[in-house]
Amino acid sequence: MKLRWKGLAYGLGAAAIVGGIWLFTSDYEVRKEGEARKISAEQAPSAEAIIVLGAKVHPDGRLSDMLKDRMITAAELYESGKADKILVSGDHGTLGYNEVGAMKNFLLERGIAEERIFMDHAGFNTYESMYRAKAIFQIRKAIVVTQDYHLARALYDAEGLGVEAYGVAADRQEYRGMAKFKAREMAARSKDFALIRFFKPQPTYLGEVIPITGDGRATEDSWLIEEAVWRPNA
């Protein structure tokens, strides 16, 4: 019995060591490759689109601080002529929660023409947002906007999925809960490293191609109720 427990302890210890090596190695690779693509707003090259990644929207439709800062940064990039289309990508997986609608409303209130705004209703996570940016919206070159802690992974995913991407950080203030976000991000970088290097699975939803060169109004909401399940149109 003692030998059995001893063997189990050694096995668990070895697994912990291997897991730790994997976590730190994959995290380092994602950060190294992503950091090389981070730039300032002034340094950003011309691109086909500005991709804004979604974040929390409050029940009353207000943008969370992080998301509001992403939208301000994206609007400024658009207004400076860095790209003439904006893709807002986030979670609109249920009738009652709509990140991309709130993001679009912010841009409309800013005076940006509706046809310039594309909505990805099924950008449920960073990997899926970047997969769909390439597969659905046919984006080849983009400026990605999110907070700095998240930017390296977003750029790593974009590049790994065939989008030439440059990242502009949207940090305009101190955010609550950053220690928690950063800890989660390390695990997420390790996960996305595996997805990009080894698997590249399809996202939850695909759909018809809607080229970013077209009219953003083609991405307006389309509701399909099938067995009480809502599915986005794209």
Side-chain angles (χ1 to χ4, degrees), residues 10 15 62 66-67 156 164 168 175 195 207:
Y10 281 136
R62 288 181 301 111
M66 277 191 176
L67 187 52
Y156 179 83
E164 181 185 346
V168 174
Y175 304 103
L195 292 179

PDB file of all heavy atoms in Angstrom, residues 10 15 62 66-67 156 164 168 175 195 207:
ATOM      1  N   TYR A  10       4.590  10.355  -6.701  1.00  0.00           N
ATOM      2  CA  TYR A  10       5.585  10.669  -7.729  1.00  0.00           C
ATOM      3  C   TYR A  10       4.911  11.033  -9.048  1.00  0.00           C
ATOM      4  O   TYR A  10       5.343  11.954  -9.754  1.00  0.00           O
ATOM      5  CB  TYR A  10       6.523   9.484  -7.938  1.00  0.00           C
ATOM      6  CG  TYR A  10       7.597   9.348  -6.898  1.00  0.00           C
ATOM      7  CD1 TYR A  10       7.903   8.106  -6.345  1.00  0.00           C
ATOM      8  CD2 TYR A  10       8.328  10.453  -6.478  1.00  0.00           C
ATOM      9  CE1 TYR A  10       8.895   7.966  -5.376  1.00  0.00           C
ATOM     10  CE2 TYR A  10       9.317  10.336  -5.516  1.00  0.00           C
ATOM     11  CZ  TYR A  10       9.606   9.081  -4.968  1.00  0.00           C
ATOM     12  OH  TYR A  10      10.588   8.966  -4.029  1.00  0.00           O
ATOM     13  N   ALA A  15       3.424  15.083 -13.012  1.00  0.00           N
ATOM     14  CA  ALA A  15       2.391  15.747 -13.812  1.00  0.00           C
ATOM     15  C   ALA A  15       2.356  17.245 -13.522  1.00  0.00           C
ATOM     16  O   ALA A  15       2.190  18.056 -14.438  1.00  0.00           O
ATOM     17  CB  ALA A  15       1.030  15.120 -13.519  1.00  0.00           C
ATOM     18  N   ARG A  62     -25.451  49.877 -20.781  1.00  0.00           N
ATOM     19  CA  ARG A  62     -24.214  50.649 -20.635  1.00  0.00           C
ATOM     20  C   ARG A  62     -22.991  49.768 -20.855  1.00  0.00           C
ATOM     21  O   ARG A  62     -22.975  48.605 -20.445  1.00  0.00           O
ATOM     22  CB  ARG A  62     -24.126  51.269 -19.239  1.00  0.00           C
ATOM     23  CG  ARG A  62     -25.059  52.420 -18.979  1.00  0.00           C
ATOM     24  CD  ARG A  62     -24.872  52.984 -17.581  1.00  0.00           C
ATOM     25  NE  ARG A  62     -25.108  51.985 -16.555  1.00  0.00           N
ATOM     26  CZ  ARG A  62     -24.168  51.469 -15.759  1.00  0.00           C
ATOM     27  NH1 ARG A  62     -22.906  51.857 -15.888  1.00  0.00           N
ATOM     28  NH2 ARG A  62     -24.485  50.565 -14.845  1.00  0.00           N
ATOM     29  N   MET A  66     -14.022  48.903 -19.405  1.00  0.00           N
ATOM     30  CA  MET A  66     -13.078  48.338 -20.372  1.00  0.00           C
ATOM     31  C   MET A  66     -13.616  48.466 -21.794  1.00  0.00           C
ATOM     32  O   MET A  66     -12.899  48.872 -22.713  1.00  0.00           O
ATOM     33  CB  MET A  66     -12.807  46.862 -20.062  1.00  0.00           C
ATOM     34  CG  MET A  66     -11.761  46.632 -19.010  1.00  0.00           C
ATOM     35  SD  MET A  66     -11.324  44.877 -18.972  1.00  0.00           S
ATOM     36  CE  MET A  66      -9.995  44.925 -17.755  1.00  0.00           C
ATOM     37  N   LEU A  67     -14.866  48.106 -21.986  1.00  0.00           N
ATOM     38  CA  LEU A  67     -15.435  48.124 -23.326  1.00  0.00           C
ATOM     39  C   LEU A  67     -15.582  49.554 -23.847  1.00  0.00           C
ATOM     40  O   LEU A  67     -15.320  49.826 -25.019  1.00  0.00           O
ATOM     41  CB  LEU A  67     -16.783  47.406 -23.347  1.00  0.00           C
ATOM     42  CG  LEU A  67     -17.421  47.214 -24.720  1.00  0.00           C
ATOM     43  CD1 LEU A  67     -16.448  46.568 -25.703  1.00  0.00           C
ATOM     44  CD2 LEU A  67     -18.695  46.398 -24.610  1.00  0.00           C
ATOM     45  N   TYR A 156      -1.736  37.059 -31.336  1.00  0.00           N
ATOM     46  CA  TYR A 156      -1.247  35.703 -31.603  1.00  0.00           C
ATOM     47  C   TYR A 156      -2.312  34.895 -32.343  1.00  0.00           C
ATOM     48  O   TYR A 156      -2.021  34.208 -33.338  1.00  0.00           O
ATOM     49  CB  TYR A 156      -0.875  35.030 -30.294  1.00  0.00           C
ATOM     50  CG  TYR A 156      -0.367  33.618 -30.447  1.00  0.00           C
ATOM     51  CD1 TYR A 156       0.959  33.364 -30.758  1.00  0.00           C
ATOM     52  CD2 TYR A 156      -1.222  32.526 -30.272  1.00  0.00           C
ATOM     53  CE1 TYR A 156       1.434  32.069 -30.907  1.00  0.00           C
ATOM     54  CE2 TYR A 156      -0.767  31.228 -30.419  1.00  0.00           C
ATOM     55  CZ  TYR A 156       0.568  31.007 -30.738  1.00  0.00           C
ATOM     56  OH  TYR A 156       1.030  29.714 -30.890  1.00  0.00           O
ATOM     57  N   GLU A 164      -3.061  39.498 -40.888  1.00  0.00           N
ATOM     58  CA  GLU A 164      -1.930  40.367 -40.537  1.00  0.00           C
ATOM     59  C   GLU A 164      -2.459  41.419 -39.560  1.00  0.00           C
ATOM     60  O   GLU A 164      -3.255  42.283 -39.939  1.00  0.00           O
ATOM     61  CB  GLU A 164      -1.365  41.045 -41.780  1.00  0.00           C
ATOM     62  CG  GLU A 164      -0.176  41.947 -41.496  1.00  0.00           C
ATOM     63  CD  GLU A 164       0.302  42.700 -42.722  1.00  0.00           C
ATOM     64  OE1 GLU A 164      -0.110  42.341 -43.843  1.00  0.00           O
ATOM     65  OE2 GLU A 164       1.079  43.663 -42.554  1.00  0.00           O
ATOM     66  N   VAL A 168      -3.430  47.895 -30.813  1.00  0.00           N
ATOM     67  CA  VAL A 168      -3.389  49.160 -30.085  1.00  0.00           C
ATOM     68  C   VAL A 168      -4.101  48.958 -28.758  1.00  0.00           C
ATOM     69  O   VAL A 168      -5.278  48.558 -28.724  1.00  0.00           O
ATOM     70  CB  VAL A 168      -4.055  50.292 -30.892  1.00  0.00           C
ATOM     71  CG1 VAL A 168      -4.136  51.563 -30.058  1.00  0.00           C
ATOM     72  CG2 VAL A 168      -3.283  50.555 -32.186  1.00  0.00           C
ATOM     73  N   TYR A 175      -8.313  49.665 -13.976  1.00  0.00           N
ATOM     74  CA  TYR A 175      -9.532  48.855 -13.950  1.00  0.00           C
ATOM     75  C   TYR A 175      -9.572  47.983 -12.706  1.00  0.00           C
ATOM     76  O   TYR A 175      -8.544  47.438 -12.278  1.00  0.00           O
ATOM     77  CB  TYR A 175      -9.607  47.968 -15.198  1.00  0.00           C
ATOM     78  CG  TYR A 175      -9.517  48.731 -16.485  1.00  0.00           C
ATOM     79  CD1 TYR A 175      -8.339  48.749 -17.225  1.00  0.00           C
ATOM     80  CD2 TYR A 175     -10.608  49.459 -16.969  1.00  0.00           C
ATOM     81  CE1 TYR A 175      -8.240  49.457 -18.409  1.00  0.00           C
ATOM     82  CE2 TYR A 175     -10.527  50.172 -18.153  1.00  0.00           C
ATOM     83  CZ  TYR A 175      -9.336  50.174 -18.870  1.00  0.00           C
ATOM     84  OH  TYR A 175      -9.241  50.887 -20.036  1.00  0.00           O
ATOM     85  N   LEU A 195      -4.623  25.693 -29.243  1.00  0.00           N
ATOM     86  CA  LEU A 195      -5.599  25.777 -30.323  1.00  0.00           C
ATOM     87  C   LEU A 195      -4.936  26.156 -31.644  1.00  0.00           C
ATOM     88  O   LEU A 195      -5.215  25.562 -32.687  1.00  0.00           O
ATOM     89  CB  LEU A 195      -6.684  26.802 -29.978  1.00  0.00           C
ATOM     90  CG  LEU A 195      -7.630  26.457 -28.827  1.00  0.00           C
ATOM     91  CD1 LEU A 195      -8.619  27.593 -28.603  1.00  0.00           C
ATOM     92  CD2 LEU A 195      -8.379  25.155 -29.100  1.00  0.00           C
ATOM     93  N   GLY A 207     -21.088  30.416 -41.155  1.00  0.00           N
ATOM     94  CA  GLY A 207     -22.196  31.058 -41.853  1.00  0.00           C
ATOM     95  C   GLY A 207     -21.733  31.591 -43.189  1.00  0.00           C
ATOM     96  O   GLY A 207     -20.607  31.353 -43.620  1.00  0.00           O
TER      97      GLY A 207
END
